[in-house]
Amino acid sequence: MDLAEIGTRLELQDLYTAYAACLDTDALENWPEFFTTDCRYRITSAENYQAGLPIGLIYATSQAMLRDRVSALRQANIYEPQRYRHLVSGVTVTGRDSNGLDVTAGFLVVRTMQDGEMTVFAVGRYIDRVVRGGDTGWKFARKEVVLDSRRIDTLLAIPL
Amino acid sequence: MDLAEIGTRLELQDLYTAYAACLDTDALENWPEFFTTDCRYRITSAENYQAGLPIGLIYATSQAMLRDRVSALRQANIYEPQRYRHLVSGVTVTGRDSNGLDVTAGFLVVRTMQDGEMTVFAVGRYIDRVVRGGDTGWKFARKEVVLDSRRIDTLLAIPL
Amino acid sequence: MDLAEIGTRLELQDLYTAYAACLDTDALENWPEFFTTDCRYRITSAENYQAGLPIGLIYATSQAMLRDRVSALRQANIYEPQRYRHLVSGVTVTGRDSNGLDVTAGFLVVRTMQDGEMTVFAVGRYIDRVVRGGDTGWKFARKEVVLDSRRIDTLLAIPL
């Protein structure tokens, strides 16, 4: 493994760490900055993903749509009593070409309610495409948030 | 830390990530490939491990036994409604000699049932011995899955 | 990213892994060794942290106070039936000067009771200051354990 390859891997770690920190600190206005202008973002279930179904719980085809989503969230939730904590594990490059990298990672999100109750809120995989750009050196051109669970109604509120 | 040492560490990260992905994608037929032909694999409790007891919930002394186990699982469970998600943290080399490395890591497994319920299924430590070989450059010559919990009846179904 | 920078990052990974392993193996007598003699250690809630309140659930201003705490814990809990498992994710350098580094990381702790029940015990962030020293090359000059939850009564027993 050469120095460039090692550097790339650590940059990807930084990308996922910064992404998680953005969501966990409720800095949602910065969230679209992790994506390219013509990005694709989707939250779907493992079942739908495996079946190749294009539907998703959230489906956005541009950074502008992600901004709209944050605006809507801010208007809907004046007070946000929950906290979220993402743990990301196993960031892996699964493919590469001259334009970018295919990357996967596992994630777990714990939600803490205002009364202190902590629950596993979501687990699953990120199946992503990254290209050069952004503060950490990479941006998401595509991010598929593939949830292990089909029970997704409560997820509508926040990005993952 | 020199380049060779850094490379080894990242290879080990790859090994544990690939191992977790194999189990989480239900690609159990590939699971024995992570082990040497004369491997030892054991799932045990922290209590039994600390007491030096050789017993385990699962105890295999060859790759062939791991293959048999997968076959048995496939026959017993035609339909597998659960999903598992491994998060591995803190992969560390604790010893080394000319033949291989001693490696430990922490793990957490979340199980998602078909109705969407997510629970912490298992937590514990891997206490492993790895040698050169395999796609990621390393294979498990020995893997001890040491569970924090003694309540292990439901664990019988799947490898960890 | 140059070799020195990569080395530093991997050393920090080692530091947090060793810290977690110390707590998870109940080697509490070694825990103060991760800190400088004039360290500051605090467990607080995200709410108090954001409000800039100096109060904490645990607040220590020296390594000696951490030692005292361990002694008190050992006298109070002759038998320790629980096990804890820390998963640390996203270790990141957020600042640096000639004396040391500012480092943050996310953590999740699962507690396993003697009857085998596993629960998410704590999630949050470490907001730390590290300086050169110790087995892993770094020691904590300051460690803020910022919990997502305000429900902290049961946390009094153990370090995090």
mmCIF file with all atom_site columns, all heavy atoms in Angstrom, chain B residues 18-30:
data_model
loop_
_atom_site.group_PDB
_atom_site.id
_atom_site.type_symbol
_atom_site.label_atom_id
_atom_site.label_alt_id
_atom_site.label_comp_id
_atom_site.label_asym_id
_atom_site.label_entity_id
_atom_site.label_seq_id
_atom_site.pdbx_PDB_ins_code
_atom_site.Cartn_x
_atom_site.Cartn_y
_atom_site.Cartn_z
_atom_site.occupancy
_atom_site.B_iso_or_equiv
_atom_site.pdbx_formal_charge
_atom_site.auth_seq_id
_atom_site.auth_comp_id
_atom_site.auth_asym_id
_atom_site.auth_atom_id
_atom_site.pdbx_PDB_model_num
ATOM 1  N N   . ALA B 1 18 ? -14.223 -6.817  5.843  1.00 0.00 ? 18 ALA B N   1
ATOM 2  C CA  . ALA B 1 18 ? -14.706 -7.819  4.893  1.00 0.00 ? 18 ALA B CA  1
ATOM 3  C C   . ALA B 1 18 ? -15.395 -8.970  5.628  1.00 0.00 ? 18 ALA B C   1
ATOM 4  O O   . ALA B 1 18 ? -16.417 -9.499  5.174  1.00 0.00 ? 18 ALA B O   1
ATOM 5  C CB  . ALA B 1 18 ? -13.533 -8.342  4.051  1.00 0.00 ? 18 ALA B CB  1
ATOM 6  N N   . TYR B 1 19 ? -14.849 -9.343  6.767  1.00 0.00 ? 19 TYR B N   1
ATOM 7  C CA  . TYR B 1 19 ? -15.446 -10.410 7.577  1.00 0.00 ? 19 TYR B CA  1
ATOM 8  C C   . TYR B 1 19 ? -16.853 -10.019 8.018  1.00 0.00 ? 19 TYR B C   1
ATOM 9  O O   . TYR B 1 19 ? -17.808 -10.779 7.878  1.00 0.00 ? 19 TYR B O   1
ATOM 10 C CB  . TYR B 1 19 ? -14.546 -10.668 8.794  1.00 0.00 ? 19 TYR B CB  1
ATOM 11 C CG  . TYR B 1 19 ? -14.984 -11.821 9.667  1.00 0.00 ? 19 TYR B CG  1
ATOM 12 C CD1 . TYR B 1 19 ? -14.568 -13.117 9.402  1.00 0.00 ? 19 TYR B CD1 1
ATOM 13 C CD2 . TYR B 1 19 ? -15.805 -11.608 10.775 1.00 0.00 ? 19 TYR B CD2 1
ATOM 14 C CE1 . TYR B 1 19 ? -14.963 -14.180 10.208 1.00 0.00 ? 19 TYR B CE1 1
ATOM 15 C CE2 . TYR B 1 19 ? -16.210 -12.653 11.580 1.00 0.00 ? 19 TYR B CE2 1
ATOM 16 C CZ  . TYR B 1 19 ? -15.781 -13.947 11.293 1.00 0.00 ? 19 TYR B CZ  1
ATOM 17 O OH  . TYR B 1 19 ? -16.179 -14.983 12.092 1.00 0.00 ? 19 TYR B OH  1
ATOM 18 N N   . ALA B 1 20 ? -16.988 -8.797  8.517  1.00 0.00 ? 20 ALA B N   1
ATOM 19 C CA  . ALA B 1 20 ? -18.303 -8.321  8.953  1.00 0.00 ? 20 ALA B CA  1
ATOM 20 C C   . ALA B 1 20 ? -19.270 -8.244  7.776  1.00 0.00 ? 20 ALA B C   1
ATOM 21 O O   . ALA B 1 20 ? -20.432 -8.647  7.882  1.00 0.00 ? 20 ALA B O   1
ATOM 22 C CB  . ALA B 1 20 ? -18.170 -6.946  9.618  1.00 0.00 ? 20 ALA B CB  1
ATOM 23 N N   . ALA B 1 21 ? -18.793 -7.745  6.649  1.00 0.00 ? 21 ALA B N   1
ATOM 24 C CA  . ALA B 1 21 ? -19.665 -7.615  5.472  1.00 0.00 ? 21 ALA B CA  1
ATOM 25 C C   . ALA B 1 21 ? -20.125 -8.984  4.988  1.00 0.00 ? 21 ALA B C   1
ATOM 26 O O   . ALA B 1 21 ? -21.275 -9.148  4.565  1.00 0.00 ? 21 ALA B O   1
ATOM 27 C CB  . ALA B 1 21 ? -18.929 -6.874  4.359  1.00 0.00 ? 21 ALA B CB  1
ATOM 28 N N   . CYS B 1 22 ? -19.258 -9.960  5.067  1.00 0.00 ? 22 CYS B N   1
ATOM 29 C CA  . CYS B 1 22 ? -19.620 -11.326 4.671  1.00 0.00 ? 22 CYS B CA  1
ATOM 30 C C   . CYS B 1 22 ? -20.795 -11.822 5.499  1.00 0.00 ? 22 CYS B C   1
ATOM 31 O O   . CYS B 1 22 ? -21.786 -12.334 4.958  1.00 0.00 ? 22 CYS B O   1
ATOM 32 C CB  . CYS B 1 22 ? -18.406 -12.237 4.843  1.00 0.00 ? 22 CYS B CB  1
ATOM 33 S SG  . CYS B 1 22 ? -18.750 -13.987 4.600  1.00 0.00 ? 22 CYS B SG  1
ATOM 34 N N   . LEU B 1 23 ? -20.716 -11.640 6.802  1.00 0.00 ? 23 LEU B N   1
ATOM 35 C CA  . LEU B 1 23 ? -21.796 -12.110 7.678  1.00 0.00 ? 23 LEU B CA  1
ATOM 36 C C   . LEU B 1 23 ? -23.057 -11.261 7.491  1.00 0.00 ? 23 LEU B C   1
ATOM 37 O O   . LEU B 1 23 ? -24.172 -11.791 7.454  1.00 0.00 ? 23 LEU B O   1
ATOM 38 C CB  . LEU B 1 23 ? -21.346 -12.060 9.140  1.00 0.00 ? 23 LEU B CB  1
ATOM 39 C CG  . LEU B 1 23 ? -20.164 -12.985 9.494  1.00 0.00 ? 23 LEU B CG  1
ATOM 40 C CD1 . LEU B 1 23 ? -19.800 -12.810 10.958 1.00 0.00 ? 23 LEU B CD1 1
ATOM 41 C CD2 . LEU B 1 23 ? -20.481 -14.444 9.193  1.00 0.00 ? 23 LEU B CD2 1
ATOM 42 N N   . ASP B 1 24 ? -22.895 -9.967  7.351  1.00 0.00 ? 24 ASP B N   1
ATOM 43 C CA  . ASP B 1 24 ? -24.054 -9.069  7.296  1.00 0.00 ? 24 ASP B CA  1
ATOM 44 C C   . ASP B 1 24 ? -24.814 -9.171  5.977  1.00 0.00 ? 24 ASP B C   1
ATOM 45 O O   . ASP B 1 24 ? -25.998 -8.829  5.907  1.00 0.00 ? 24 ASP B O   1
ATOM 46 C CB  . ASP B 1 24 ? -23.621 -7.613  7.521  1.00 0.00 ? 24 ASP B CB  1
ATOM 47 C CG  . ASP B 1 24 ? -23.153 -7.371  8.951  1.00 0.00 ? 24 ASP B CG  1
ATOM 48 O OD1 . ASP B 1 24 ? -23.399 -8.236  9.814  1.00 0.00 ? 24 ASP B OD1 1
ATOM 49 O OD2 . ASP B 1 24 ? -22.525 -6.336  9.208  1.00 0.00 ? 24 ASP B OD2 1
ATOM 50 N N   . THR B 1 25 ? -24.133 -9.615  4.930  1.00 0.00 ? 25 THR B N   1
ATOM 51 C CA  . THR B 1 25 ? -24.822 -9.814  3.655  1.00 0.00 ? 25 THR B CA  1
ATOM 52 C C   . THR B 1 25 ? -25.288 -11.258 3.491  1.00 0.00 ? 25 THR B C   1
ATOM 53 O O   . THR B 1 25 ? -25.717 -11.648 2.411  1.00 0.00 ? 25 THR B O   1
ATOM 54 C CB  . THR B 1 25 ? -23.898 -9.446  2.470  1.00 0.00 ? 25 THR B CB  1
ATOM 55 O OG1 . THR B 1 25 ? -22.697 -10.223 2.569  1.00 0.00 ? 25 THR B OG1 1
ATOM 56 C CG2 . THR B 1 25 ? -23.551 -7.958  2.486  1.00 0.00 ? 25 THR B CG2 1
ATOM 57 N N   . ASP B 1 26 ? -25.168 -12.041 4.552  1.00 0.00 ? 26 ASP B N   1
ATOM 58 C CA  . ASP B 1 26 ? -25.620 -13.431 4.545  1.00 0.00 ? 26 ASP B CA  1
ATOM 59 C C   . ASP B 1 26 ? -24.882 -14.260 3.492  1.00 0.00 ? 26 ASP B C   1
ATOM 60 O O   . ASP B 1 26 ? -25.428 -15.226 2.958  1.00 0.00 ? 26 ASP B O   1
ATOM 61 C CB  . ASP B 1 26 ? -27.138 -13.474 4.307  1.00 0.00 ? 26 ASP B CB  1
ATOM 62 C CG  . ASP B 1 26 ? -27.714 -14.848 4.645  1.00 0.00 ? 26 ASP B CG  1
ATOM 63 O OD1 . ASP B 1 26 ? -27.229 -15.477 5.598  1.00 0.00 ? 26 ASP B OD1 1
ATOM 64 O OD2 . ASP B 1 26 ? -28.644 -15.277 3.938  1.00 0.00 ? 26 ASP B OD2 1
ATOM 65 N N   . ALA B 1 27 ? -23.643 -13.876 3.223  1.00 0.00 ? 27 ALA B N   1
ATOM 66 C CA  . ALA B 1 27 ? -22.825 -14.645 2.270  1.00 0.00 ? 27 ALA B CA  1
ATOM 67 C C   . ALA B 1 27 ? -22.050 -15.717 3.034  1.00 0.00 ? 27 ALA B C   1
ATOM 68 O O   . ALA B 1 27 ? -20.820 -15.795 2.969  1.00 0.00 ? 27 ALA B O   1
ATOM 69 C CB  . ALA B 1 27 ? -21.883 -13.698 1.522  1.00 0.00 ? 27 ALA B CB  1
ATOM 70 N N   . LEU B 1 28 ? -22.786 -16.543 3.754  1.00 0.00 ? 28 LEU B N   1
ATOM 71 C CA  . LEU B 1 28 ? -22.152 -17.476 4.695  1.00 0.00 ? 28 LEU B CA  1
ATOM 72 C C   . LEU B 1 28 ? -21.247 -18.493 4.007  1.00 0.00 ? 28 LEU B C   1
ATOM 73 O O   . LEU B 1 28 ? -20.292 -18.981 4.612  1.00 0.00 ? 28 LEU B O   1
ATOM 74 C CB  . LEU B 1 28 ? -23.219 -18.204 5.511  1.00 0.00 ? 28 LEU B CB  1
ATOM 75 C CG  . LEU B 1 28 ? -24.101 -17.323 6.395  1.00 0.00 ? 28 LEU B CG  1
ATOM 76 C CD1 . LEU B 1 28 ? -25.017 -18.187 7.252  1.00 0.00 ? 28 LEU B CD1 1
ATOM 77 C CD2 . LEU B 1 28 ? -23.250 -16.425 7.282  1.00 0.00 ? 28 LEU B CD2 1
ATOM 78 N N   . GLU B 1 29 ? -21.547 -18.801 2.753  1.00 0.00 ? 29 GLU B N   1
ATOM 79 C CA  . GLU B 1 29 ? -20.706 -19.776 2.039  1.00 0.00 ? 29 GLU B CA  1
ATOM 80 C C   . GLU B 1 29 ? -19.277 -19.253 1.890  1.00 0.00 ? 29 GLU B C   1
ATOM 81 O O   . GLU B 1 29 ? -18.343 -20.050 1.732  1.00 0.00 ? 29 GLU B O   1
ATOM 82 C CB  . GLU B 1 29 ? -21.302 -20.085 0.669  1.00 0.00 ? 29 GLU B CB  1
ATOM 83 C CG  . GLU B 1 29 ? -22.468 -21.066 0.723  1.00 0.00 ? 29 GLU B CG  1
ATOM 84 C CD  . GLU B 1 29 ? -23.731 -20.470 1.329  1.00 0.00 ? 29 GLU B CD  1
ATOM 85 O OE1 . GLU B 1 29 ? -23.816 -19.227 1.448  1.00 0.00 ? 29 GLU B OE1 1
ATOM 86 O OE2 . GLU B 1 29 ? -24.635 -21.253 1.701  1.00 0.00 ? 29 GLU B OE2 1
ATOM 87 N N   . ASN B 1 30 ? -19.077 -17.957 1.928  1.00 0.00 ? 30 ASN B N   1
ATOM 88 C CA  . ASN B 1 30 ? -17.730 -17.388 1.844  1.00 0.00 ? 30 ASN B CA  1
ATOM 89 C C   . ASN B 1 30 ? -17.042 -17.287 3.200  1.00 0.00 ? 30 ASN B C   1
ATOM 90 O O   . ASN B 1 30 ? -15.829 -17.050 3.268  1.00 0.00 ? 30 ASN B O   1
ATOM 91 C CB  . ASN B 1 30 ? -17.785 -15.972 1.235  1.00 0.00 ? 30 ASN B CB  1
ATOM 92 C CG  . ASN B 1 30 ? -18.337 -15.997 -0.173 1.00 0.00 ? 30 ASN B CG  1
ATOM 93 O OD1 . ASN B 1 30 ? -18.245 -16.997 -0.879 1.00 0.00 ? 30 ASN B OD1 1
ATOM 94 N ND2 . ASN B 1 30 ? -18.945 -14.891 -0.581 1.00 0.00 ? 30 ASN B ND2 1
#
